[in-house]
Each structure stands twice: as structure tokens, then as C-alpha cells.
Amino acid sequence: MKPFTYERATTPAEAAAAVVRHPGAKFIAGGTNLLDLMKLEIEAPQHLVDVNTLKLDRIERTPDGGVRIGALVDNTALASDERIRKDYGVLSRAIVAGASGQLRNKATTAGNLLQRTRCPYFYDTNQPCNKRKPGSGCAAIGGYSRQLAVIGVSNACIATYPGDMAIALRVLDAKVETVNAGGQTRTIPMADFHRLPGDTPHIETALAQGELITAVTLPRPIQGTHIYHKVRDRNSYAFALVSIAAVIQRDGRGRVAVGGVAHKPWRVETAEPAMPQGASAVASRLMAGAKPTHDNAFKVPLVERTLAAVMAEAKTA
């Protein structure tokens, strides 16, 4: 790990300003992903701004009947919150499907959104990776790609977004609240928060330099059966090959987002009217334009089979 300086911010705007003052600086809260990357020198910030004392750790009802989740609410507290379990079951289930109990105790809501890909070539500093070193190439293209993306890919990157929580937030139409160094706030829909790789895979979110996540808001609860189903190589502590977050009504209508297949949580709203017709009709629209490799072509039919299992489960719920 390379040397760095450290400070503890006292307000969100102060934290944002501190990161702007120090080029390449990073916020740190739980540190469950950042510290690992620093040890491997994949991330080498010269300055860290600790945001743990910013009092962004509350879950509150909003005036419109939704919920506002502070950026520092840890994953365990969020998944176990009575309001989340009752009204946003898909979110609670997605969170407990990820990581381990120890990691969920430390990982924060904002940090979970910002976790970086687990592409093996991103972690191997002896290999070219446009995400780690822009312009160096992508060793994953033509390399080992079983876990990697099959849709929304580019000639520069085929990495996947690794998280579970964000897939549920995408299906719930969550929004991300931020503040910048000047104290201005803005709200970013989850649909726009994570980016596809294009020619700049190192730019992963819509956040500007120094922009700090302060909260995630959920709209009013969505009626229906909330399901999160994760297919992975082992039953715990593994990233998704394919995951499905869905809210399904009794008449078969609903909404669905997919994880493990793209550089961002994957949702195609125009596919959802086909849900009463069955998984095949939805999956063909969801995965239209997929460009899998030889190693991960299985993911395309796996999306359909996993969605079919989710729909069957909803009928018996």
C-alpha cells in the first residue's frame, strides 16, 4: 500500500471540498472494497477523506410515503430494517445474498453502490485493463471471461458490475442524492447512476469529482411479490453469474432487473409489458443485442431460466 494522508470531515460539503482540493483523493467509510484495492495498489489515493462522522446513518420515511436511506447506513442495518423487510423485500433479499455477515456489518449503502468490478484482469496488475489503466487494452477480451458481461459491452471493456443491492434499487426506481463541494445537491435516478463502459470504462458512475453520495431514496412501496434470485458458483460469498430482482403482481405483470450480465444493473422497461406472456418473451427483449463470448454464452439462456423460476415462485407466493 502506498503512503497517503488522511482527514476526517465534519459536514458533507466539507468532505466534498476536501476531495476536490486533493486531486485523486477518495472518500472512505466502510472501506471494504477500497482498502483491498489499495493493498493491491490498484487504487492509490494520496489522500483519504473519512466520512464516517457525517451522521448519514438514518433510515427515514419521506413525506410522499417512500423511504430515505442515509449513505452511511450499513448493509446489515438496511437489510434488517422492519420497513425495508415489509415494503421493499427485494432490497432486503438482495443485500443478504451478497458478501458475508462481517462485510455487511461494515459496508455502507453508498459504498455498496460504488464497489468496483471483480474482473480478474482488473485485479491482475500485470495485465492490460482499460478500467485500471485507460488506453492499455482489455485482456479479458479474448481471455477468460466466464464471469464477465454479455450485454452493453464495448471494445474497451467487458467487465460486470458486481453488486446485488443496486440490482434491487434499479427495479425499485431508487434515486441517489448527492452534494458537491459548493454545497449544491442533486438527485440521480438509478437508471442513470452507473454507466456502460463505452470508450471510458474507468468512468463508472455519473458522479463528478468530489461529489458525495448522501442518501438513496425509494418511492412509495410497490405492491406485488418481491423476489431476488442469485445464481452463482457456490451458495455463499460468491458474485452472481446471473441475478434477477423482480416485483410481480398476481396477474403476472411486473418489473425486472438483471445482475451479473452488464457493466451496470440491467433493466429494459420496454420488455416488462411482456411479463404476462412468460419468461421467454421477456428475456428475448431484455437480452436483445447481447454479445457473449464463447466462455459466457451460457448466461443468455440462464437469464431466461432464472426469470422463469422467479415467475414460478411468484405464482405460489
Side-chain angles (χ1 to χ4, degrees):
M1 185 182 290
K2 294 185 177 180
F4 58 89
T5 54
Y6 168 92
E7 70 176 281
R8 183 173 292 161
T10 57
T11 69
E14 179 185 299
V19 167
V20 169
R21 281 197 305 272
H22 298 83
K26 294 280 186 180
F27 302 113
I28 187 165
T32 56
N33 189 204
L34 178 60
L35 290 178
D36 283 346
L37 295 172
M38 289 174 65
K39 291 173 186 174
L40 296 168
E41 299 189 356
I42 295 168
E43 294 268 17
Q46 295 182 0
H47 189 71
L48 288 181
V49 179
D50 189 336
V51 297
N52 278 299
T53 58
L54 298 186
K55 300 179 181 177
L56 302 174
D57 57 354
R58 298 181 63 183
I59 303 172
E60 304 168 294
R61 286 288 184 192
T62 58
D64 64 357
V67 169
R68 185 174 189 271
I69 303 159
L72 295 173
V73 173
D74 67 62
N75 289 180
T76 297
L78 181 57
S80 61
D81 184 88
E82 183 177 352
R83 294 160 291 188
I84 300 300
R85 294 179 63 189
K86 175 177 178 290
D87 294 332
Y88 306 95
V90 65
L91 176 56
S92 182
R93 293 180 177 101
I95 292 171
V96 299
S100 64
Q102 292 90 341
L103 284 171
R104 292 194 294 271
N105 288 341
K106 290 297 294 181
T108 64
T109 300
N112 195 322
L113 287 176
L114 297 175
Q115 63 177 302
R116 305 199 69 186
T117 185
R118 266 59 173 189
C119 173
Y121 299 99
F122 175 70
Y123 276 79
D124 185 346
T125 56
N126 293 313
Q127 299 287 338
C129 173
N130 288 317
K131 183 180 286 295
R132 174 170 30 80
K133 187 178 180 181
S136 63
C138 176
I141 298 175
Y144 178 72
S145 55
R146 183 172 183 271
Q147 285 276 353
L148 301 180
V150 297
I151 197 163
V153 299
S154 74
N155 291 329
C157 183
I158 58 172
T160 46
Y161 173 78
D164 295 291
M165 184 188 79
I167 314 304
L169 292 178
R170 179 70 180 90
V171 87
L172 291 170
D173 285 332
K175 295 179 179 178
V176 180
E177 295 182 0
T178 70
V179 65
N180 67 15
Q184 287 85 30
T185 62
R186 69 167 173 155
T187 300
I188 307 170
M190 270 300 294
D192 301 327
F193 184 78
H194 294 99
R195 295 164 48 111
L196 290 177
D199 295 328
T200 55
H202 59 293
I203 303 174
E204 297 171 348
T205 71
L207 295 175
Q209 171 67 14
E211 191 171 11
L212 175 70
I213 297 173
T214 54
V216 173
T217 57
L218 301 175
R220 291 173 61 87
I222 303 165
Q223 298 302 311
T225 301
H226 288 223
I227 298 174
Y228 186 77
H229 194 104
K230 182 176 181 179
V231 180
R232 47 189 163 176
D233 283 330
R234 57 177 184 264
N235 282 335
S236 67
Y237 205 51
F239 295 96
L241 293 169
V242 164
S243 65
I244 298 285
V247 180
I248 302 178
Q249 316 298 323
R250 287 186 176 277
D251 61 5
R253 293 180 298 115
R255 52 175 68 189
V256 59
V258 185
V261 298
H263 200 256
K264 59 185 290 184
W266 192 254
R267 183 179 175 195
V268 179
E269 281 90 338
T270 54
E272 292 167 1
M275 289 189 71
Q277 301 171 36
S280 178
V282 182
S284 63
R285 292 166 172 80
L286 268 174
M287 304 306 289
K291 295 180 179 178
T293 67
H294 176 271
D295 291 342
N296 63 22
F298 71 93
K299 286 193 176 188
V300 177
L302 185 58
V303 168
E304 180 180 333
R305 291 199 298 271
T306 308
L307 180 57
V310 166
M311 289 176 161
E313 181 180 340
K315 289 179 180 177
T316 60

